[in-house]
Amino acid sequence: MGDFFYDDGTWSSDLREDKTCIGVVFYTGNPALHDESLKREHPDCVNGLVIGAFADETNYWQSAVYDCGISVGEWIGANVPSLMPPLTGTLEDDGLNRMVGFSNTQALIAFDADESNSGWPLEILDNFREYQENSPVPPESSSGWYIPSVKELSLLCSGEYDGNIWNMQMPDVSNLERVNASLAKISRHSPIIGTSYYWSSSEYSALEALGLDMLSGKVAYTVKDTYPWRIRCVLAF
């Protein structure tokens, strides 16, 4: 972990000045293990995950959540059954413990694009679209940018954990320290410094969404309109 990832799809342990670095590798392994959409659309993305190297901003997950009255996951289940709902519980076999950010992001986009949901847009997608527009174009061999699931945020902060991340009592944040050390070497970046909460693409209920405290590595949830947490995109390669 901590390797530099470039816009041509290559990566290296030392920063190369002759290439455009777009992020830092924070997980090595198959990110499509549980994400059928990622596996189907980007079958060659079996090497790992990259955190974007460019500025993240704060926003609400969904400011009109009380007007909406339904979770994205419930809406997806009823209207787009081909997609995996981003709604998850906190048991070990739930989506909480799976790398499904790519699928989750697709579900959020489908919900937000439907005219029937125009009264309660997902502000988290504003940051996602801004990230797409203002960051270098990822290589075609990658998944492209997406909003990480809470499991992917946990991997970024604490590395691999075999049990239920909901029950982690003393998470190790050394993986984030390694990633931040690499991010600090890249120009025009805003590294995750471990003092903020970050939203994930994972839902907890119709009212609440999940995120991670980068200071402690603990999973957190709150009402979608309560706090403007930070949002940083990732990609699979």
Side-chain angles (χ1 to χ4, degrees), residues 1 26-28 99 150-163 165 168 171-179 212 214 217:
M1 275 65 75
F26 68 89
Y27 167 77
T28 56
M99 296 175 284
V150 70
K151 172 62 175 179
E152 289 159 338
L153 287 179
S154 181
L155 285 168
L156 168 65
C157 189
S158 304
E160 295 190 65
Y161 182 74
D162 291 334
I165 61 173
M168 291 174 70
D172 178 3
V173 298
S174 59
N175 196 60
L176 180 63
E177 292 171 354
R178 286 191 293 269
V179 170
L212 199 87
M214 289 295 172

Side-chain angles (χ1 to χ4, degrees), residues 2 5 41 45 56 66 78 81 95 102 111 119 122 127 133 139 141 164 169-170 181 186 197 213 226:
F5 189 83
E41 297 188 23
C45 290
D56 45 52
Y66 286 101
F102 182 85
F111 174 93
L122 304 178
N127 296 58
E133 293 173 1
S141 58
N164 188 347
Q169 297 301 313
M170 294 291 292
I186 304 170
Y197 284 87
D213 178 7
T226 301

Side-chain angles (χ1 to χ4, degrees), residues 122-208:
L122 304 178
E123 281 87 355
I124 191 173
L125 287 177
D126 293 340
N127 296 58
F128 163 69
R129 296 183 184 105
E130 183 177 355
Y131 206 86
Q132 286 184 310
E133 293 173 1
N134 296 332
S135 301
V137 178
E140 291 186 3
S141 58
S142 76
S143 65
W145 300 115
Y146 62 86
I147 306 167
S149 67
V150 70
K151 172 62 175 179
E152 289 159 338
L153 287 179
S154 181
L155 285 168
L156 168 65
C157 189
S158 304
E160 295 190 65
Y161 182 74
D162 291 334
N164 188 347
I165 61 173
W166 184 257
N167 298 326
M168 291 174 70
Q169 297 301 313
M170 294 291 292
D172 178 3
V173 298
S174 59
N175 196 60
L176 180 63
E177 292 171 354
R178 286 191 293 269
V179 170
N180 271 340
S182 294
L183 285 170
K185 299 176 182 178
I186 304 170
S187 62
R188 296 180 294 114
H189 71 286
S190 177
I192 296 173
I193 59 176
T195 59
S196 300
Y197 284 87
Y198 278 73
W199 282 123
S200 77
S201 54
S202 306
E203 268 187 314
Y204 185 64
S205 69
L207 291 179
E208 298 153 320

Side-chain angles (χ1 to χ4, degrees), residues 49-119:
L49 293 168
V50 169
I51 185 72
F54 300 87
D56 45 52
E57 303 294 338
T58 59
N59 211 339
Y60 299 103
W61 209 92
Q62 184 186 31
S63 63
V65 59
Y66 286 101
D67 295 325
C68 181
I70 189 173
S71 70
V72 174
E74 291 171 309
W75 187 90
I76 289 293
N79 295 276
V80 195
S82 60
L83 291 178
M84 182 188 304
L87 189 64
T88 179
T90 59
L91 300 178
E92 187 166 351
D93 292 334
D94 288 337
L96 179 85
N97 292 288
R98 297 176 181 174
M99 296 175 284
V100 289
F102 182 85
S103 177
N104 284 354
T105 302
Q106 287 190 321
L108 300 188
I109 292 171
F111 174 93
D112 201 64
D114 193 279
E115 182 64 27
S116 66
N117 297 317
S118 61

